[in-house]
Amino acid sequence: MIDKKSIEYQLNKVALREMEEVVPMTLSERTAIRKWVKCGHEVESNPWGHFDGDGLMLNYLQAYRLEYGYSSGPWDGWRGPDTYWYDSEHSLLISDEL
């Protein structure tokens, strides 16, 4: 059972609101990330176990976009031009790491 009055839950909601204000997203992305946070998960986590090239977990929205195959767009400047998705590791790697 999720304690919606807990500090952790409230901080997750604040992080979600901040992300919604800054990051362009579609209605389906917004709905999905809201459900994720409502279930008590952090915005900075994802259910698919996707990581970046440094081994850090991708946030929910980044992983969602990779999972559903449309990660490229103006919202993904964090990836950089020389970044590639490495399926067997479920992570993003810089071209030098390949």
Side-chain angles (χ1 to χ4, degrees), residues 42-69:
E42 295 180 15
V43 170
E44 296 299 324
S45 65
N46 72 79
W48 304 282
H50 295 327
F51 295 86
D52 67 11
D54 294 327
L56 300 173
M57 184 169 278
L58 295 176
N59 70 39
Y60 184 87
L61 190 55
Q62 293 165 332
Y64 180 94
R65 290 173 175 166
L66 287 172
E67 187 67 20
Y68 293 103

Side-chain angles (χ1 to χ4, degrees), residues 2-61:
I2 299 161
D3 180 7
K4 294 189 176 185
K5 294 183 181 182
S6 71
I7 292 173
E8 292 84 11
Y9 186 83
Q10 296 303 316
L11 289 174
N12 289 337
K13 284 179 56 179
V14 168
L16 173 62
R17 272 180 273 174
E18 289 174 355
M19 180 180 268
E20 288 180 330
E21 290 174 6
V22 175
V23 181
M25 60 182 88
T26 66
L27 180 58
S28 61
E29 290 172 337
R30 190 176 305 273
T31 300
I33 197 169
R34 285 178 176 175
K35 285 181 183 178
W36 179 247
V37 171
K38 188 176 180 178
C39 288
H41 302 286
E42 295 180 15
V43 170
E44 296 299 324
S45 65
N46 72 79
W48 304 282
H50 295 327
F51 295 86
D52 67 11
D54 294 327
L56 300 173
M57 184 169 278
L58 295 176
N59 70 39
Y60 184 87
L61 190 55

